[in-house]
């Protein structure tokens, strides 16, 4: 009787854990996709900033009238630096999210194995007279 009560508690906890996993997994995957697309956008933006900065440098060299484009180039390079910083933050967050997802899947598999093993043990012990 006590074995059945423990089985109910264990299966209840595992059901809650599995329910939470099923609830969170789509959100985690969607967040991962958004972070990935954001990182791609950041890389593309960084490339555009680099191209624009080099183009402004070329324009500045070929101008007959001396225009001071250096402040604009500096602003672009500062924006590029911030884009790289945000990209690094996103990369770190995505890596943590990937590790969290991996750990959750690993823990779920471990609990399923434990539950199946305890279910087999309880089935054997309850079949004995």
């Amino acid at each position: 009787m006590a074995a059945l009560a423990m089985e109910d508690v264990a299966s209840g906890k595992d059901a809650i854990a599995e329910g939470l996993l099923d609830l969170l997994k789509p959100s985690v995957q969607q967040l991962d996709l958004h972070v990935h697309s954001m990182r791609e956008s950041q890389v593309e933006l960084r490339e555009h900033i680099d191209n624009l900065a080099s183009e402004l440098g070329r324009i500045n060299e070929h101008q007959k009238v001396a225009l001071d484009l250096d402040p604009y180039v500096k602003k672009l390079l500062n924006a590029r630096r911030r884009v790289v910083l945000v990209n690094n933050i996103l990369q770190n967050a995505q890596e943590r999210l990937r590790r969290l997802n991996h750990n959750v899947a690993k823990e779920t598999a471990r609990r399923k194995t434990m539950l199946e093993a305890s279910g087999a043990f309880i089935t054997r012990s309850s079949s004995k007279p």
Side-chain angles (χ1 to χ4, degrees), residues 6-20 111 115:
M6 287 187 60
E7 180 183 346
D8 288 343
V9 170
S11 65
K13 286 181 180 179
D14 285 336
I16 291 172
E18 189 128 349
L20 282 173
R111 286 181 183 231
L115 183 61

Side-chain angles (χ1 to χ4, degrees), residues 15-62:
I16 291 172
E18 189 128 349
L20 282 173
L21 177 64
D22 291 342
L23 181 69
L24 293 176
K25 192 169 187 168
S27 298
V28 169
Q29 289 173 340
Q30 184 180 16
L31 182 61
D32 189 44
L33 286 174
H34 287 296
V35 168
H36 183 69
S37 67
M38 177 64 80
R39 286 181 58 205
E40 288 177 354
S41 297
Q42 294 285 323
V43 168
E44 187 178 326
L45 179 60
R46 187 179 66 218
E47 289 171 357
H48 285 298
I49 289 173
D50 289 343
N51 290 338
L52 187 56
S54 64
E55 192 66 32
L56 280 175
R58 275 188 251 134
I59 289 172
N60 197 24
E61 289 174 5
H62 294 343

Side-chain angles (χ1 to χ4, degrees), residues 81-104:
R81 183 186 57 78
R82 288 191 306 242
V83 166
V84 168
L85 182 65
V86 168
N87 192 30
N88 288 340
I89 291 169
L90 284 172
Q91 190 172 9
N92 289 337
Q94 188 175 30
E95 179 60 27
R96 280 188 243 135
L97 189 60
R98 187 196 62 75
R99 277 186 272 146
L100 176 67
N101 196 16
H102 175 74
N103 288 340
V104 166

